[in-house]
C-alpha cells in the first residue's frame, strides 16, 4: 500500500529540539484525527527515540537527527528516526530493559518505552555509522 502523505525533518541533536520533534510529529499525525491516547503514545515514543539520539548517538558532540513520517490510508503510521552517530555495539543487549550505556543517572528504559507505546518497533544499527529506529503505530480502528 502506498503512503498518502509524508514529511521529513532534520535538526541538530540539541536537547532543546526534543520537544520540537515531538510536537512536529504530533501535528503532522493529527491530520488522521487520532484519539488523544494514541497521539500521546506517538509523542512519547518519538520523545524517547530523539532523546536516545541526543544522549547516546552523539554524547560528546552535536550531530544531525532526521525524522521521517509516513501516513497510510488505513491509519498505519511509520516514524523513522535516524542518526549518524556512534551506533550500538551490541543491539541485542541494548534492547534489554534496564540496560544503559549512560551511567547511573540513566534508567535504560528507552527502547522498552518506545516498544510499549508502538505497535511494532524495529532498530537497526551499525557501530560508527549510526542507528535507525522505526516506530509503527495504527491510528484508530480503520
Amino acid at each position: 500500500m502506498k503512503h498518502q502523505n509524508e514529511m521529513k525533518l532534520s535538526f541538530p541533536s540539541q536537547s532543546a529540539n526534543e520537544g520540537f520533534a515531538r510536537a512536529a510529529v504530533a501535528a503532522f499525525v493529527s491530520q488522521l484525527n487520532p484519539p488523544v491516547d494514541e497521539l500521546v503514545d506517538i509523542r512519547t515514543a518519538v520523545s524517547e527515540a530523539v532523546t536516545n539520539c541526543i544522549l547516546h548517538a552523539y554524547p560528546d558532540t552535536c550531530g544531525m537527527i532526521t525524522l521521517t513520517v509516513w501516513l497510510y490510508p488505513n491509519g498505519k503510521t511509520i516514524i523513522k528516526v535516524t542518526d549518524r552517530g556512534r551506533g550500538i555495539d551490541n543491539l541485542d543487549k541494548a534492547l534489554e530493559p534496564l540496560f544503559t550505556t549512560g551511567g547511573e543517572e540513566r534508567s535504560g528504559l528507552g527502547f522498552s518505552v518506545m516498544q510499549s507505546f508502538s505497535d511494532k518497533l524495529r532498530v537497526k544499527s551499525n557501530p560508527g555509522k549510526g542507528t535507525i529506529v522505526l516506530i509503527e503505530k495504527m491510528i484508530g480502528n480503520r
Side-chain angles (χ1 to χ4, degrees):
M1 179 182 303
K2 184 169 172 32
H3 62 273
Q4 69 184 22
N5 204 354
E6 75 177 273
M7 71 149 218
K8 190 172 190 175
L9 176 66
S10 294
F11 51 90
S13 62
Q14 299 170 356
S15 61
N17 288 333
E18 179 272 326
F20 164 69
R22 182 180 60 222
V25 171
F28 185 71
V29 170
S30 289
Q31 66 190 278
L32 295 177
N33 198 25
V36 172
D37 61 328
E38 291 176 0
L39 196 56
V40 169
D41 289 353
I42 288 170
R43 289 172 55 93
T44 303
V46 168
S47 177
E48 287 295 328
V50 170
T51 297
N52 271 3
C53 293
I54 293 166
L55 295 175
H56 302 292
Y58 305 109
D60 302 317
T61 186
C62 187
M64 294 302 289
I65 299 170
T66 302
L67 270 172
T68 309
V69 182
W70 295 275
L71 304 179
Y72 293 83
N74 66 350
K76 181 168 79 172
T77 301
I78 298 177
I79 302 161
K80 180 179 171 183
V81 183
T82 306
D83 69 68
R84 300 251 180 229
R86 67 181 184 177
I88 301 170
D89 290 325
N90 186 338
L91 186 56
D92 291 334
K93 188 78 172 162
L95 293 171
E96 290 178 9
L98 305 178
F99 177 80
T100 184
T101 58
E104 291 180 18
E105 70 277 357
R106 309 303 322 161
S107 65
L109 293 173
F111 286 125
S112 296
V113 169
M114 283 181 249
Q115 192 166 32
S116 69
F117 286 97
S118 63
D119 295 322
K120 184 187 275 187
L121 179 73
R122 292 175 296 211
V123 183
K124 299 175 188 175
S125 190
N126 291 307
K129 295 185 179 179
T131 301
I132 298 170
V133 174
L134 291 165
I135 300 164
E136 188 173 315
K137 181 79 173 170
M138 287 299 293
I139 302 298
N141 297 325
R142 296 174 188 243

